[in-house]
Amino acid sequence: MPVQWQGLRVHAIVAHLGLMHAGRVRQVERIAAFIEAEVPPGERIVVAGDFNDWGEKLDAPMREIGLARAELPGATLPRTFPSRVPVFSLDRIYTRGFECRALNVPRGPAWSRMSDHLPLVAELEM
């Protein structure tokens, strides 16, 4: 769904992918088909959510559809699951038309009570 941000149109897609890898691959294919059908070439996109990608296998298919994972060069991937003692990097932000300047995972008792995942917050720049 497109949103207006600082006078620009940005397409925002929130995802919660399945637990089985084959299902996640099909869901990424559906995201790709949606983007191809609904998002004009060159417009900015943010795809974010719980990717349940335990094996870190979805970055390549997301790159194939023109989306880059929001990450910082040389930094470890932010761990968001489980929220009480995060061990896995299951939550992701993928973008087109943005550069990631900062990533943050808020921590503490209040955050860990809200969900079994901690939020992943990115500072993006055009």
Side-chain angles (χ1 to χ4, degrees):
M1 158 171 246
V3 295
Q4 293 298 317
W5 179 69
Q6 296 186 357
L8 297 171
R9 191 156 87 159
V10 177
H11 298 267
I13 300 169
V14 177
H16 187 174
L17 277 56
L19 294 175
M20 303 300 292
H21 178 68
R24 290 192 298 272
V25 170
R26 284 191 301 276
Q27 289 172 301
V28 168
E29 290 168 354
R30 289 185 189 127
I31 291 170
F34 175 83
I35 290 171
E36 186 174 333
E38 301 293 332
V39 180
E43 288 197 3
R44 290 171 177 81
I45 303 171
V46 175
V47 179
D50 176 0
F51 281 76
N52 274 316
D53 185 19
W54 302 84
E56 300 280 334
K57 296 179 181 176
L58 294 179
D59 284 352
M62 294 299 279
R63 275 193 305 272
E64 289 173 15
I65 60 176
L67 299 171
R69 186 171 179 173
E71 59 187 351
L72 300 172
T76 60
L77 296 172
R79 296 174 181 162
T80 58
F81 181 83
S83 60
R84 291 196 185 275
V85 182
V87 177
F88 300 104
S89 178
L90 300 184
D91 300 276
R92 312 277 171 78
I93 300 171
Y94 292 94
T95 67
R96 179 174 82 191
F98 293 98
E99 293 289 328
C100 181
R101 296 294 178 223
L103 279 176
N104 181 37
V105 176
R107 296 180 192 267
W111 291 107
S112 64
R113 282 192 303 270
M114 288 184 205
S115 172
D116 59 336
H117 292 253
L118 292 171
L120 177 61
V121 180
E123 180 180 326
L124 304 174
E125 185 177 293
M126 292 181 282

